[in-house]
Amino acid sequence: MNTAPVPAWRLISFASPALITYMAWMPLGYVIVKFYAKYTSLDLATIGLIIFLGRIFDAAMDPAVAYLSDRFDTRWGRRKPWLLLSAPLFVTGFVMIVSPPQDIHWAYFLFANVLLYSGWTLFEITHVAWGLEMDRAPASRARIAVLLKVCAYLGSLAFFAFPFLFNPEPGSTEFTPQVMTALGIAVATAFPLLVLLAVTAAPREQRVGDQPFRIREVLSEMCANRCLLFYLCAFGLWALADGLIVGLFLVYVDAYHDLSAAEGLILLAAYLSRVVAAPLVLALVRLFDLRRFWVFGALANAGLYLTLFLIPAGEGAFLWLMIFAVLAGLIDCALGILALMLLGEVIDDDARRTRRDKAASCKAAVNLVEKALRALGMSGGLVIVGAAGLALGEENTGSALWTLLALLALGPALLNLVSAFGMSFLRFDPATGDAETNARVS
């Protein structure tokens, strides 16, 4: 195995496609429902149903792509061919979605979602698995994790620039058809080029295992891997908390503080703080044990959300919310990088014990847990506050507002506390970062 560190320019080339995937992912999460409801003939129920079916297809694709990527080796490695295949599928699906005809048929939107999620899953599963296996040294893996996050955050910030640059109406930042078309052209041009750069510049993955990939044995090994199970539990609780936050935070800003006009600035502060935090996290992961770092980060996150009880209601809370968004972005960046690095250590431990490389399969398991629990947190939070009588644009009762505040403050706090406790059951050697074969028993 080659132990020489991978040069920085090769790592940057490897991470660069994440700039485009996250720039493309932002409108799918924040804009597409409103855009289709306003500019196409589809009704909200049809839009919601097709988006739901697309997400189901996405979840079903994860284990299939993981199996193919882990199972089949080629002269170029197990990861690179799938990235090349992902580019035309992702680009075609995305362009179809952001440039729909006004009199659209539901089958067009469904087919575009299938193409998009096929390309997205092929890319995301194999790209992360490749990164975790490219250089297994802790310092190199830290640089890879940080670069992936920085590219993701920069791509997300670039998304916000498009309405300023391409909206034909002066002063408007709405995502109009012209804006979305420009976004589609940018993604269609840049993504294939950056994927090609990544597969030509970055080295192939490092192999550890020498055993053949058999699906039944792999599933049995993963189910018996207590390190992986403890990781999934701790990470899943954090993802559940994050889903709750994503679903409720802007509702809280609007309903509790009447600051909907400042939503963009608050989100911008959160994303900018993530970009700034990444180099700091890179320095800290070299000094602290990853497991303990996660525990402290999750505890800090729990404490931060409890401070929402101290922020006064009303428009006067703008400065406090900006400070809160900056701190939340800093902690979220650290936990996101740590999640990837800890997964890499669990994968390494599994490969040493089973002599079988299955990074993509482990990543697929993480994706299934993350998608399910994020969706549960987002939808569950909205259902609860809706049942309490909360409605945007209307006068809300005190009990509805207190339900919103309590759920947003206590939910993430408790879930992060349990996540910190769960991750403490996973012990790492501070000198090597190797996960112990068995999780510590309380």
Side-chain angles (χ1 to χ4, degrees):
M1 181 186 300
N2 181 22
T3 58
V6 180
W9 73 271
R10 294 187 183 275
L11 294 181
I12 294 171
S13 299
F14 160 78
S16 62
L19 279 166
I20 308 303
T21 55
Y22 277 84
M23 185 172 73
W25 201 247
M26 292 294 284
L28 299 176
Y30 291 99
V31 175
I32 206 68
V33 172
K34 180 181 178 182
F35 176 77
Y36 265 68
K38 183 173 182 178
Y39 292 106
T40 75
S41 58
L42 294 182
D43 58 78
L44 281 172
T46 303
I47 296 168
L49 176 61
I50 292 176
I51 290 176
F52 173 75
L53 292 175
R55 295 297 176 90
I56 294 296
F57 177 78
D58 177 33
M61 280 282 291
D62 283 346
V65 169
Y67 171 76
L68 292 172
S69 184
D70 280 337
R71 172 68 177 82
F72 295 104
D73 203 352
T74 71
R75 57 187 290 188
W76 304 282
R78 294 175 300 151
R79 313 303 182 193
K80 292 184 179 184
W82 301 108
L83 261 71
L84 292 172
L85 179 59
S86 75
L89 295 173
F90 182 82
V91 163
T92 303
F94 185 77
V95 170
M96 288 180 66
I97 285 177
V98 298
S99 303
Q102 184 176 5
D103 190 20
I104 185 177
H105 193 275
W106 62 265
Y108 173 100
F109 191 35
L110 179 61
F111 181 66
N113 272 268
V114 169
L115 284 179
L116 174 76
Y117 284 114
S118 297
W120 164 256
T121 304
L122 279 170
F123 173 80
E124 199 258 350
I125 291 285
T126 55
H127 192 234
V128 172
W130 178 21
L132 292 173
E133 295 175 326
M134 185 187 303
D135 192 335
R136 298 174 186 265
S140 296
R141 183 170 278 160
R143 287 195 295 270
I144 292 170
V146 168
L147 283 171
L148 285 173
K149 286 297 179 182
V150 168
C151 287
Y153 298 147
L154 291 176
S156 301
L157 289 172
F159 157 76
F160 289 109
F162 274 81
F164 291 96
L165 296 174
F166 297 103
N167 192 307
E169 298 181 16
S172 173
T173 58
E174 183 184 0
F175 284 87
T176 62
Q178 294 92 332
V179 174
M180 298 293 273
T181 298
L183 185 62
I185 293 172
V187 170
T189 303
F191 186 64
L193 293 176
L194 292 179
V195 167
L196 186 61
L197 174 65
V199 299
T200 55
R204 58 182 291 175
E205 70 278 359
Q206 296 177 354
R207 299 296 300 268
V208 172
D210 53 14
Q211 296 298 311
F213 191 94
R214 298 187 178 94
I215 187 64
R216 290 185 179 179
E217 294 176 3
V218 166
L219 291 174
S220 176
E221 289 166 358
M222 292 177 66
C223 291
N225 187 337
R226 286 198 280 174
C227 283
L228 177 61
L229 296 178
F230 275 115
Y231 173 87
L232 290 175
C233 289
F235 176 80
L237 289 168
W238 176 65
L240 179 61
D242 193 63
L244 194 61
I245 294 163
V246 170
L248 293 181
F249 184 71
L250 291 183
V251 176
Y252 161 79
V253 170
D254 188 336
Y256 198 77
H257 296 289
D258 195 23
L259 284 169
S260 59
E263 290 174 356
L265 288 174
I266 294 171
L267 288 175
L268 183 61
Y271 275 96
L272 284 174
S273 67
R274 287 170 167 86
V275 176
V276 173
L280 176 61
V281 175
L282 178 59
L284 291 176
V285 295
R286 296 172 178 173
L287 302 176
F288 298 102
D289 170 65
L290 296 178
R291 176 184 59 89
R292 291 191 178 93
F293 198 172
W294 176 279
V295 170
F296 288 133
L299 291 176
N301 216 23
L304 177 65
Y305 277 88
L306 289 176
T307 64
L308 289 176
F309 284 118
L310 305 178
I311 298 178
E315 297 180 5
F318 172 72
L319 180 60
W320 293 110
L321 289 175
M322 290 291 285
I323 295 172
F324 178 90
V326 169
L327 294 175
L330 294 173
I331 297 172
D332 183 76
C333 175
L335 290 175
I337 291 170
L338 287 169
L340 193 57
M341 294 184 66
L342 286 164
L343 176 59
E345 299 297 344
V346 172
I347 288 170
D348 286 351
D349 172 71
D350 176 81
R352 282 189 296 270
R353 288 188 296 106
T354 66
R355 306 303 304 170
R356 211 187 308 270
D357 290 304
K358 45 181 179 285
S361 298
C362 291
K363 174 58 179 168
V366 171
N367 276 13
L368 287 173
V369 170
E370 180 180 11
K371 290 172 183 177
L373 292 181
R374 282 187 192 276
L376 176 62
M378 183 182 297
S379 59
L382 291 172
V383 167
I384 292 172
V385 297
L390 189 81
L392 294 180
E394 301 179 10
E395 190 72 24
N396 287 294
T397 63
S399 62
L401 292 174
W402 269 103
T403 299
L404 171 64
L405 175 61
L407 189 58
L408 184 59
L410 292 176
L414 292 174
L415 289 168
N416 273 275
L417 284 173
V418 181
S419 175
F421 177 73
M423 197 63 81
S424 70
F425 278 74
L426 188 65
R427 300 190 66 183
F428 291 86
D429 183 342
T432 65
D434 294 340
E436 291 183 353
T437 299
N438 295 314
R440 174 171 58 88
V441 178
S442 172

